[in-house]
Amino acid sequence: AQTVTQSQPEMSVQEAETVTLSCTYDTSENNYYLFWYKQPPSRQMILVIRQEAYKQQNATENRFSVNFQKAAKSFSLKISDSQLGDTAMYFCAFMRERANSKLTFGKGITLSVRP
Amino acid sequence: EADIYQTPRYLVIGTGKKITLECSQTMGHDKMYWYQQDPGMELHLIHYSYGVNSTEKGDLSSESTVSRIRTEHFPLTLESARPSHTSQYLCASSELGAGAGNTIYFGEGSWLTVV
């Protein structure tokens, strides 16, 4: 079975600064996908960024980037130039590359951006 | 934004009442999911479906039931609501095959309070 661990329950960052959210996972699979989802207060869960395990290059989406360390089974999210709108819960998630696979979520981390 | 819709968004009902939470998506996705999430907590998969007439229990046991008569529609029903069912219920969908279609899209959630 796959597990996803987010050991930090909460983090806080000053507006315009950079913050890194940690995530580790455990799997025996070689091909899989990793995701970071954002859930703002009382709003829809949205995909922030995704990473295919077979790609060595770290995914980047504007101010969001990941540090994917396959051997260490680590998948951290870096948010640069933090904005007040980044305040949300962030969930790390894992999915095997199979048609019947399900998304396994971590427990999430609450990020607060201070003005 | 993803084309997946949930109704009602907020509902307060009495103990013992029957309730159906509606979920519809217009993306033609074969896979659909229901997650249960208490405020500020992790998501738990309670039901999923691979397509019409396919339904499976998720990782968290739930007294709710689901049906999948049409591709776009995946309602969740509680026959007799109890206060322990108070939670947020998130519907989601994704394409069936592995590869680029593995991104899961979420609805805005249905907040259920049973009094």
Side-chain angles (χ1 to χ4, degrees):
Chain A
Q2 284 65 230
T3 59
V4 177
T5 302
Q6 294 179 255
S7 56
Q8 307 155 302
E10 300 181 13
M11 287 192 77
S12 179
V13 63
Q14 193 74 33
E15 192 176 9
E17 294 190 345
T18 296
V19 63
T20 298
L21 311 183
S22 301
C23 173
T24 59
Y25 58 95
D26 188 26
T27 183
S28 58
E29 303 281 330
N30 189 49
N31 296 320
Y32 49 87
Y33 298 86
L34 294 162
F35 306 83
W36 277 98
Y37 278 88
K38 171 185 177 181
Q39 187 179 38
S42 301
R43 292 182 62 188
Q44 194 169 14
M45 177 99 72
I46 58 173
L47 178 68
V48 175
I49 199 165
R50 55 177 275 151
Q51 174 82 41
E52 290 88 344
Y54 64 86
K55 289 187 177 179
Q56 292 185 339
Q57 186 174 6
N58 289 324
T60 299
E61 288 287 342
N62 300 315
R63 297 183 296 106
F64 299 88
S65 61
V66 299
N67 182 6
F68 173 48
Q69 301 290 329
K70 191 173 184 179
K73 296 180 182 175
S74 171
F75 184 59
S76 60
L77 174 70
K78 186 172 81 171
I79 305 174
S80 304
D81 186 25
S82 297
Q83 300 176 0
L84 296 179
D86 295 333
T87 293
M89 276 199 80
Y90 288 81
F91 293 91
C92 179
F94 170 99
M95 180 185 283
R96 299 181 304 173
E97 192 184 26
R98 300 186 190 186
N100 63 345
S101 59
K102 297 174 286 181
L103 200 61
T104 300
F105 284 93
K107 291 190 175 186
I109 177 171
T110 299
L111 176 67
S112 300
V113 180
R114 306 185 305 273
Chain B
E1 290 188 0
D3 296 321
I4 180 164
Y5 308 100
Q6 292 185 238
T7 58
R9 291 289 319 282
Y10 303 93
L11 180 66
V12 180
I13 61 171
T15 298
K17 298 293 185 183
K18 178 180 178 179
I19 177 64
T20 296
L21 304 181
E22 304 287 349
C23 177
S24 296
Q25 50 94 7
T26 58
M27 297 173 282
H29 287 166
D30 287 308
K31 293 176 76 173
M32 295 190 75
Y33 314 80
W34 277 104
Y35 289 87
Q36 185 174 344
Q37 183 189 28
D38 291 333
M41 301 295 286
E42 64 200 286
L43 286 80
H44 295 285
L45 180 67
I46 52 175
H47 299 283
Y48 60 100
S49 166
Y50 295 135
V52 172
N53 295 325
S54 154
T55 60
E56 303 285 344
K57 293 284 190 181
D59 303 320
L60 180 69
S61 176
S62 174
E63 294 169 339
S64 58
T65 59
V66 292
S67 62
R68 191 85 182 276
I69 299 173
R70 303 199 313 267
T71 297
E72 64 272 20
H73 197 212
F74 191 42
L76 179 145
T77 298
L78 279 165
E79 290 291 336
S80 180
R82 295 206 301 269
S84 61
H85 296 140
T86 294
S87 189
Q88 180 181 206
Y89 294 84
L90 293 169
C91 182
S93 72
S94 69
E95 294 181 21
L96 181 62
N102 274 334
T103 298
I104 290 182
Y105 298 91
F106 285 84
E108 291 185 295
S110 292
W111 284 95
L112 175 65
T113 301
V114 184
V115 297

